[in-house]
């Protein structure tokens, strides 16, 4: 079993979402490599609606694998400004490229400072090492 990837420079929620602050001020969200590995082959992703206001740590969608269904939570509060429609046809992108093509949605954050409440890569690695 290869070590799951946990890139530096992005933020991690205890519920296994990642949040990346983009240059345009938006926050891109997905699930971590650890999470996709634990779920197994992903067959369906339910994404939030464009324009929806999400609250931090509140359910924003669902990811289903051959093994289980798991709620996705918004790591920070904000308005959904993009959703990865390609996951409708190719949910396996989450398994193949959790931090790239497998992103879920992007938010215009209500308070970018909420990112500081999340874990950095080192703290997330400690969380999943247990």
């Amino acid at each position: 079993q290869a070590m799951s990837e946990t890139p530096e420079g992005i933020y991690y929620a205890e519920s296994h979402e990642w949040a990346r602050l983009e240059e345009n001020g938006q926050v891109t969200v997905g699930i971590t490599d650890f999470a996709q590995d634990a779920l197994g082959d992903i067959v369906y992703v339910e994404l939030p609606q464009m324009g929806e206001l999400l609250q931090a740590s509140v359910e924003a969608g669902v990811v289903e694998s051959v093994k289980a269904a798991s709620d996705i939570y918004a790591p920070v509060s904000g308005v959904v400004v993009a959703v990865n429609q390609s996951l409708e046809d190719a949910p396996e992108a989450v398994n193949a490229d959790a931090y790239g093509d497998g992103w879920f949605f992007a938010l215009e954050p209500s308070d970018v400072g909420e990112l500081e409440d999340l874990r950095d890569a080192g703290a997330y690695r400690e969380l999943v090492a247990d």
Side-chain angles (χ1 to χ4, degrees):
Q1 172 67 20
M3 281 291 293
S4 56
E5 279 184 66
T6 307
E8 298 290 340
I10 62 180
Y11 299 88
Y12 298 89
E14 287 181 29
S15 47
H16 308 294
E17 294 82 20
W18 56 264
R20 184 174 60 225
L21 182 60
E22 308 293 358
E23 287 181 2
N24 63 5
Q26 294 175 1
V27 174
T28 305
V29 177
I31 62 167
T32 67
D33 194 42
F34 174 87
Q36 69 76 21
D37 190 55
L39 281 164
D41 292 335
I42 290 168
V43 294
Y44 176 71
V45 180
E46 183 183 308
L47 296 166
Q49 299 293 314
M50 286 286 288
E52 195 175 338
L53 176 60
L54 300 177
Q55 299 295 334
S57 344
V58 171
E59 188 186 325
V62 179
V63 58
E64 290 183 20
S65 74
V66 290
K67 290 195 282 195
S70 183
D71 291 338
I72 304 304
Y73 299 94
V76 295
S77 305
V79 175
V80 177
V81 290
V83 292
N84 188 356
Q85 299 289 358
S86 67
L87 296 183
E88 287 183 16
D89 298 320
E92 64 275 8
V94 179
N95 293 120
D97 190 10
Y99 302 104
D101 291 341
W103 66 281
F104 281 18
F105 58 90
L107 295 171
E108 189 69 50
S110 312
D111 174 8
V112 80
E114 287 181 340
L115 287 169
E116 301 303 327
D117 297 334
L118 302 171
R119 291 168 181 249
D120 65 11
Y124 183 73
R125 284 189 201 105
E126 286 175 22
L127 174 73
V128 298
D130 296 339

